[in-house]
Amino acid sequence: MADDKDVMTLPHERLEEIQLEGIKKTVVSCYENIPFYKRSFDEAGFDPYSMTSLDDLERAPFVTKQDLRDNAPYGMLAVPLSKVREIHMSSGTTGVATVGAYTQHDLEFWADCFARGIRFAGCGANDVVQVCYGYGLFTGGLGAHYGGLASGATVIPTSAGNTERQIRILREMGTTVIACTPSYAMHIADTALAMGVDPARDFHLKAGIHGAEAFSDNFRRELERKLNYKVLDIYGLTETMGPGVAVECMEQDGLHLAEDHFYAEIIDPATGKVLPDGEWGELVLTTVDREASPVVRYRTRDITRILPGECPCGCTHRRIDRLHGRTDDMLIIRGVNVFPSQIEDVMKTFDEVSSWYQIELTRRNHLDVVTLKAEVNPDFDFDAISAIERLQNQIQARLKTALSVGIKVKLVEPQSIPRSEGKAKRVIDKREEK
Ligand code: DLL
C-alpha cells in the first residue's frame, strides 16, 4: 500500500477501490469463519461472493452490539486465537462485555489511525505525548500509546488519575500533546488553577487529542483558553477498533474518517434506510481490513452525518460531523428529542456557570422531569439567594427558547458534582426509582 502521507491525499475514487477490495475479502472471511455471519447473511439472502460495488453492501444485514455480546468471548473471531496479539473489551455496565481482538496487522493500522491525529496537529518526532486515557481493557490508553509511538513522538504513559502528578509531569517534562477525555482535560486544568499553576503559561501544550465522549464547541473553546492549545476531537469504539476511526484536523470542522480502514454509512435509525450525505442519522461502520474482529454494517448507535464537500486541509478522507450523542443518550422530553450536548451548549453561554453539570431524570405523575444541575463558578457568591434564583430562571428561559422544552435548572456549589478521570457521567436516570 502507498505510504501514509499518500493515503491521506489519495483521490477518493482510489480510496473507494481500496474499500471495495478490502470489504469483498471481509464479507467472505466473515461468512466462512464466523457462524453468526453465515447465518445472518443466509437469512437475509446476502451472497458475500457477489459484491461488485460498494452499493452492494446495502443488501447485507446489520450487526448490533447485542449480536456481539451474544457471541462473546470468541464467537466473532475471524482468525485462530494463535494469530491474536491483543484483546480489549468495552466497559459493559450490564455484565457481558463486547470483545475486540487484534492481529499484528490490526494493531499496526490502529496505531497509524491514532497517529493521524497527532500528525494533523503538526506533531511528531520532536513532541512528547502524555497519555492520560486509562490503560487496560479500555482502548483509550493503549490506542493513544501505540499512536504516539507510530507518530515518532516520545510517549509518557501516565494513564488516568493522580491528577496532581499529571500536572507536575505536564509542567516538568515539557509535554506538548495530551491525550485524554475532554472532561478529564478540564479537570486537570481546573485542578492546576486551584493549585496556583496557570496551565496556559506553565504547560507547554500544542494540542490535545480528546475523545471517547461528546463535548460541545463551547466546552472546547474553554479548554483551549485554559490550556492554551488546540483541541482535536477523536472518535472510535471498541467494537470496530478504538480511538482513531475518525479524527479532526486543524480546521476543526468535522472528523476525517480513516476511510482506508472503515466504510461509513448513515442510516435512519428507525427504518434502517441509508441517508444521503449531509443528513443526520446513525453511523454504521464496516471494517475494510480488520483481520481478527471484522464487522459488517455495525450499528454504532452514534448520531452524526457525513459532511459534504472537501476539507481545505487537503485530506481526501470524508468527514463526519462532531457527535451529538448516542441514540441511547437521546432524551425524549415530552416528545421532543434532546441530546445532553445541546443542553450543555446553552449552559455554556453563561459565564457564571462552570463546565460541570449533570442531567437528572425523574418521573412525577407519569411525566418525565428533567433537572439540569450545574455548578456555579468559584467566584460566584453562592449565598446570594436572589442572584442564584435569577440566574436559574435565565438559564431555564434560554433552554426553553433553544430546545422548546421545559428543563428545571438547579445551580449547585463548586466541586459538588463528582469529577471523572475517564468518561464523565452526565445523565443520571432515576425514573425507575419513582
Ligand atoms: O471510547 C474509544 C475511544 C477512546 C475514543 C479514546 C476516543 C478516544 P468505547 O469505550 O467502546 O470506546 O466507547 C465508544 O464512545 O460509540 C461513542 O458513543 C462514544 N465516543 C467515542 N468517541 C467519541 C467522540 C471509546 N469523539 C463510544 N465524541 C462511541 C462523542 C464519542 N462520543
Side-chain angles (χ1 to χ4, degrees):
M1 202 191 270
D3 73 31
D4 188 56
K5 196 171 178 313
D6 294 333
V7 165
M8 302 308 279
T9 52
L10 279 180
H12 205 262
E13 302 71 51
R14 176 64 196 130
L15 278 173
E16 286 167 29
E17 279 169 22
I18 292 173
Q19 289 179 318
L20 180 59
E21 256 169 67
I23 291 174
K24 274 167 131 177
K25 288 188 195 141
T26 299
V27 290
V28 167
S29 165
C30 285
Y31 190 75
E32 293 181 354
N33 296 305
I34 304 175
F36 164 83
Y37 279 106
K38 171 147 193 355
R39 234 177 10 254
S40 95
F41 287 180
D42 284 346
E43 271 167 27
F46 173 68
D47 174 6
Y49 303 98
S50 70
M51 269 194 70
T52 55
S53 77
L54 286 169
D55 291 339
D56 289 339
L57 197 61
E58 260 185 62
R59 292 187 285 107
F62 296 118
V63 57
T64 64
K65 193 177 185 98
Q66 193 57 45
D67 296 327
L68 303 189
R69 280 201 182 126
D70 291 347
N71 292 280
Y74 291 132
M76 296 302 258
L77 274 193
V79 297
L81 202 54
S82 58
K83 286 203 152 184
V84 174
R85 297 267 76 85
E86 191 167 311
I87 286 176
H88 285 266
M89 291 179 203
S90 69
S91 47
T93 43
T94 50
V96 195
T98 51
V99 175
Y102 306 76
T103 62
Q104 187 60 36
H105 162 84
D106 298 339
L107 285 175
E108 280 166 19
F109 84 71
W110 182 20
D112 175 54
C113 288
F114 195 105
R116 291 175 189 186
I118 297 174
R119 294 195 198 108
F120 276 145
C123 297
N126 297 319
D127 286 280
V128 177
V129 178
Q130 187 164 326
V131 180
C132 356
Y133 286 115
Y135 280 61
L137 292 177
F138 177 52
T139 52
L142 281 163
H145 187 101
Y146 298 145
L149 295 180
S151 75
T154 305
V155 177
I156 306 185
T158 50
S159 191
N162 203 338
T163 307
E164 293 191 6
R165 190 182 63 180
Q166 302 277 8
I167 291 164
R168 264 202 323 277
I169 295 174
L170 279 158
R171 282 183 80 172
E172 291 168 10
M173 302 300 288
T175 304
T176 50
V177 179
I178 181 170
C180 61
T181 59
S183 53
Y184 193 44
M186 188 67 84
H187 182 45
I188 291 176
D190 288 344
T191 309
L193 287 166
M195 287 163 63
V197 174
D198 178 1
R201 187 194 59 214
D202 301 332
F203 292 177
H204 321 270
L205 290 172
K206 296 181 194 163
I209 316 281
H210 299 317
E213 61 186 5
F215 57 113
S216 67
D217 288 334
N218 287 320
F219 195 95
R220 183 215 298 265
R221 272 191 287 279
E222 187 177 339
L223 275 178
E224 293 189 331
R225 183 174 57 73
K226 284 187 177 160
L227 290 157
N228 188 23
Y229 69 157
K230 195 99 172 173
V231 169
L232 300 187
D233 189 348
I234 188 161
Y235 168 75
L237 61 166
T238 317
E239 291 80 6
T240 65
M241 182 180 79
V245 170
V247 60
E248 262 183 344
C249 64
M250 292 295 261
E251 298 292 326
Q252 295 181 316
D253 186 18
L255 292 78
H256 289 282
L257 285 156
E259 288 202 284
D260 44 338
H261 301 292
F262 301 95
Y263 177 72
E265 299 166 276
I266 302 289
I267 62 160
D268 175 335
T271 63
K273 279 237 161 327
V274 176
L275 298 172
D277 285 4
E279 282 191 32
W280 288 92
E282 179 179 343
L283 177 67
V284 169
L285 290 170
T286 298
T287 51
V288 171
D289 61 341
R290 179 91 184 259
E291 291 176 339
S293 296
V295 287
V296 177
R297 304 198 86 201
Y298 178 69
R299 287 189 66 156
T300 64
R301 307 228 164 261
D302 290 320
I303 303 294
T304 182
R305 61 181 176 148
I306 304 267
L307 288 174
E310 282 164 21
C311 182
C313 82
C315 174
T316 49
H317 296 232
R318 292 184 307 164
R319 291 162 299 159
I320 51 171
D321 210 329
R322 298 189 68 219
L323 274 83
H324 264 194
R326 300 173 59 74
T327 48
D328 334 322
D329 294 341
M330 193 175 72
L331 309 170
I332 304 182
I333 310 170
R334 318 262 155 101
V336 180
N337 299 349
V338 177
F339 284 102
S341 57
Q342 291 174 285
I343 297 178
E344 179 185 310
D345 250 333
V346 173
M347 193 191 84
K348 300 241 18 83
T349 58
F350 289 87
D351 290 339
E352 300 90 334
V353 292
S354 80
S355 308
W356 303 105
Y357 69 95
Q358 252 172 1
I359 296 162
E360 208 173 79
L361 305 177
T362 48
R363 186 161 291 154
R364 203 168 302 139
N365 301 329
H366 307 291
L367 283 179
D368 289 345
V369 178
V370 184
T371 309
L372 168 68
K373 279 188 179 174
E375 277 183 18
V376 292
N377 275 323
D379 50 8
F380 190 86
D381 180 7
F382 199 73
D383 295 325
I385 311 250
S386 59
I388 292 272
E389 278 175 1
R390 202 166 42 242
L391 184 56
Q392 283 179 170
N393 289 339
Q394 282 169 351
I395 300 175
Q396 257 165 224
R398 209 173 287 176
L399 282 167
K400 176 100 198 183
T401 314
L403 307 173
S404 314
V405 285
I407 292 175
K408 239 176 91 182
V409 175
K410 186 164 177 240
L411 293 172
V412 295
E413 286 185 68
Q415 300 293 330
S416 56
I417 292 173
R419 302 300 193 251
S420 153
E421 293 159 0
K423 300 185 193 228
K425 190 156 178 49
R426 301 291 197 193
V427 179
I428 312 282
D429 193 344
K430 294 184 166 172
R431 283 177 295 187
E432 294 308 314
E433 295 162 21
K434 290 273 141 115

